[in-house]
Amino acid sequence: MTAVGPRAREGGARGPAGNVPEGYDPHAFEPFAVTVDLAVFTVRGGALHALLIRRGQEPYAGAWALPGGFVLPRESAELAARRELAEETGLPDDVVAGLHLEQLRTYSEPDRDPRMRVVSVAYTALVPDLPEPRGGGDAAHAEWIAFGTRGQLAFDHADILADARERVGAKLEYTCLATSFCPPEFTLGELRQVYETVWGTALDRPNFRRKVLATPGFVEQVAGASRLTGGRGKPAALYRAGPATALHPPLLRPEGRQT
Amino acid sequence: MTAVGPRAREGGARGPAGNVPEGYDPHAFEPFAVTVDLAVFTVRGGALHALLIRRGQEPYAGAWALPGGFVLPRESAELAARRELAEETGLPDDVVAGLHLEQLRTYSEPDRDPRMRVVSVAYTALVPDLPEPRGGGDAAHAEWIAFGTRGQLAFDHADILADARERVGAKLEYTCLATSFCPPEFTLGELRQVYETVWGTALDRPNFRRKVLATPGFVEQVAGASRLTGGRGKPAALYRAGPATALHPPLLRPEGRQT
DNA sequence: TCAAAAGTGTTGCGGATACACCCATGC
DNA sequence: GCATGGGTGTATCCGCAACACTTTTGA
């Protein structure tokens, strides 16, 4: 079974990546399956949640797994991730099209799937607290699980989820992505809770407010609108996500780091 | 031709990523080739250089391309990248084993290679200014090219190289990776030149020195050793790379950004 | 009247920038 | 001696953390 193609490098006709030697037969060697895995996060009730799916078959039957699926022959990995996201979350396609999807990393250990060689491109998505993921089709099996609640995850999905969580925490420091966790209109208190939940830290309210407002394009005030948040207290002004993507200067989490 | 496997999702036996539906035939669909591409950088003579290879065959015959190659059936992508790096640079295997290799991103556009579907995992490596890459085998074709000098690159390799360069610039801000560009023992002036070259900015010498020395584990002084650098001037103390990997606080490049 | 949350003001400390200044070496 | 690069000291400035304080609502 050993591949003829991959080793064909004779005669200076070497194959740099993205390059196929002459006489290469696509079917001559054991193929790689290429899939996408999705680490979809939301903030719900002061806790970080991930979208997981209960597996119904071996291997890892009964375990939780990340949503995902195969990359189709004429699809980029990002498109596949977006398609799967729409299927699993039940969100309308146009909403999914506007979501921020970030490529996390590719997992390619030879034995990560016991059945065959599967190379998986992992993506991270941040979504607002949705009513419920039950949209139709695959979404029926998906559930929001509080981070760290469930035990073992299938395959290497625990690694992927941990990597994704770490990345999200770091991203909040120097990008405007926190607004992706919020509904279209939100208060600064809600935005602050996103940071506090992901970082597991309490932030100084006045200073947080100043920093956010001092970054041009991070948030834009919705004229005249306000909303009560905790039931009590002064109604808070409402804001929309602004056009900015980067955060200068960054919003650093206090104290080295805490998980 | 259209895949039976990838679409097989009937009966709740859905296939999350890293998961293969029952009855899946690995050879039933058009396979994906999985390769690695390497963006290898060095600093030579005050300019950033990338390791490139001149293509000898169509498509893109005569154009420059990134080194890389196929991931073998029992190999992770990182291992493949390390193996290719050893082959292309002619460095001894044990040196390559210690080098920092970072996964950049995966490129999966369906038509990035006109011949077949190739999904490529790109890696970035930072190496000291080596004598010459001519070691043997493939390395004979590799050359260090000053960044931006050569015109069109093959495939989407110009995108990959640009992404890698951007990432390297950002990484210098908050990691200790700059020492990877330096020989085992180096002066602070050489380290500063790495930053100045990659960022294209002049840095204040005294302040740079203080920042580097203020970060525990970034560099360690080699006791008693010193070396002349520009031929003239006071001999500079020699330093080794320390055990630290992260930079707290970060070493920010002045003024928003300049390419 | 009290609690809770939003919003504003102010102060003080730490760190970085921007220099001035000495040291050692080659020409 | 002078140019060149290494190394040290220092004043000023800016940012931000920490906290006090006012405002507006529900109970």
Side-chain angles (χ1 to χ4, degrees):
Chain A
M1 171 63 39
T2 12
V4 174
R7 261 304 175 199
R9 311 196 120 208
E10 64 285 356
R14 63 166 307 287
N19 192 355
V20 184
E22 301 295 345
Y24 177 78
D25 175 7
H27 292 85
F29 64 102
E30 188 181 8
F32 288 62
V34 178
T35 64
V36 291
D37 283 325
L38 285 162
V40 189
F41 292 107
T42 198
V43 171
R44 166 178 295 188
L48 190 65
H49 287 64
L51 191 66
L52 295 180
I53 287 181
R54 173 86 78 172
R55 282 184 58 82
Q57 63 181 53
E58 292 297 335
Y60 301 102
W64 294 91
L66 296 178
F70 285 91
V71 177
L72 302 182
R74 296 291 311 158
E75 215 181 28
S76 70
E78 165 146 357
L79 195 59
R82 219 170 271 280
R83 175 177 50 75
E84 293 288 343
L85 183 61
E87 293 174 6
E88 314 284 7
T89 60
L91 279 171
D93 287 11
D94 56 334
V95 172
V96 170
L99 276 182
H100 176 84
L101 254 189
E102 189 187 340
Q103 194 183 109
L104 175 65
R105 155 166 146 63
T106 294
Y107 296 81
S108 62
E109 295 303 314
D111 293 311
R112 54 185 299 276
D113 188 308
R115 290 159 299 178
M116 72 170 290
R117 187 70 197 269
V118 178
V119 170
S120 188
V121 186
Y123 283 81
T124 303
L126 313 182
V127 304
D129 189 5
L130 306 166
E132 262 305 305
R134 323 202 156 279
D138 294 331
H141 302 277
E143 280 182 40
W144 289 111
I145 306 295
F147 197 87
T149 297
R150 292 314 196 274
Q152 286 300 102
L153 265 63
F155 307 106
D156 53 359
H157 290 188
D159 296 333
I160 300 178
L161 201 56
D163 290 348
R165 197 232 146 92
E166 177 60 32
R167 174 81 69 92
V168 169
K171 276 265 163 185
L172 290 198
E173 288 190 334
Y174 58 96
T175 70
C176 300
L177 281 186
T179 54
S180 304
F181 280 121
C182 298
E185 298 191 343
F186 53 88
T187 70
L188 292 185
E190 289 163 352
L191 185 63
R192 184 171 46 85
Q193 275 193 8
V194 167
Y195 277 90
E196 292 182 335
T197 300
V198 175
W199 288 348
T201 322
L203 297 177
D204 184 83
R205 202 164 20 82
N207 293 334
F208 177 82
R209 174 189 186 79
R210 260 187 295 267
K211 275 194 193 172
V212 169
L213 296 181
T215 305
F218 190 1
V219 296
E220 293 172 346
Q221 188 162 7
V222 178
S226 62
R227 187 211 303 163
L228 286 175
T229 45
R232 277 193 291 287
K234 184 175 176 177
L238 288 176
Y239 294 84
R240 267 191 300 269
T245 63
L247 219 48
H248 284 296
L251 212 122
L252 298 172
R253 45 190 146 180
E255 190 98 8
R257 62 191 52 226
Q258 52 256 76
T259 311
Chain B
M1 162 97 4
T2 14
V4 174
R7 262 302 176 201
R9 310 195 121 206
E10 64 284 356
R14 62 165 310 286
N19 192 355
V20 184
E22 301 295 346
Y24 175 78
D25 175 7
H27 292 86
F29 62 103
E30 186 182 11
F32 288 63
V34 177
T35 64
V36 291
D37 283 325
L38 286 162
V40 190
F41 291 108
T42 197
V43 171
R44 166 177 293 188
L48 189 67
H49 287 64
L51 190 67
L52 296 179
I53 287 180
R54 172 85 77 171
R55 281 183 59 79
Q57 63 181 55
E58 292 296 337
Y60 300 100
W64 293 92
L66 296 178
F70 286 90
V71 177
L72 301 183
R74 294 293 312 158
E75 212 180 32
S76 71
E78 165 146 358
L79 195 59
R82 219 169 271 279
R83 175 178 50 76
E84 293 287 343
L85 183 61
E87 293 175 6
E88 313 285 7
T89 60
L91 279 171
D93 287 11
D94 57 332
V95 173
V96 169
L99 277 181
H100 176 83
L101 255 189
E102 188 187 338
Q103 194 183 111
L104 177 65
R105 152 166 147 64
T106 294
Y107 296 81
S108 63
E109 295 303 314
D111 293 311
R112 54 185 298 278
D113 188 307
R115 290 159 299 179
M116 71 170 289
R117 186 70 197 268
V118 177
V119 170
S120 188
V121 187
Y123 283 81
T124 303
L126 313 181
V127 303
D129 188 5
L130 306 167
E132 261 307 303
R134 322 202 157 280
D138 295 333
H141 302 275
E143 281 182 38
W144 289 110
I145 306 295
F147 197 86
T149 298
R150 292 313 196 275
Q152 286 301 103
L153 265 65
F155 307 105
D156 53 359
H157 290 188
D159 296 333
I160 299 177
L161 201 56
D163 290 347
R165 198 233 146 92
E166 176 60 33
R167 175 82 69 94
V168 169
K171 276 266 162 183
L172 290 198
E173 288 189 332
Y174 58 95
T175 71
C176 301
L177 281 186
T179 55
S180 304
F181 280 121
C182 297
E185 297 190 343
F186 53 88
T187 70
L188 292 186
E190 290 163 351
L191 185 64
R192 184 171 45 84
Q193 276 192 9
V194 166
Y195 278 90
E196 292 182 334
T197 299
V198 175
W199 287 349
T201 322
L203 297 177
D204 184 83
R205 201 165 19 84
N207 293 333
F208 176 81
R209 174 187 185 80
R210 258 187 296 267
K211 275 193 195 172
V212 169
L213 295 181
T215 304
F218 190 0
V219 296
E220 293 171 346
Q221 188 162 7
V222 179
S226 62
R227 188 211 302 163
L228 286 173
T229 45
R232 278 190 291 288
K234 182 177 177 176
L238 288 177
Y239 293 85
R240 267 191 301 268
T245 64
L247 219 48
H248 283 299
L251 212 120
L252 298 172
R253 46 189 147 182
E255 190 99 7
R257 64 190 51 229
Q258 51 258 74
T259 312

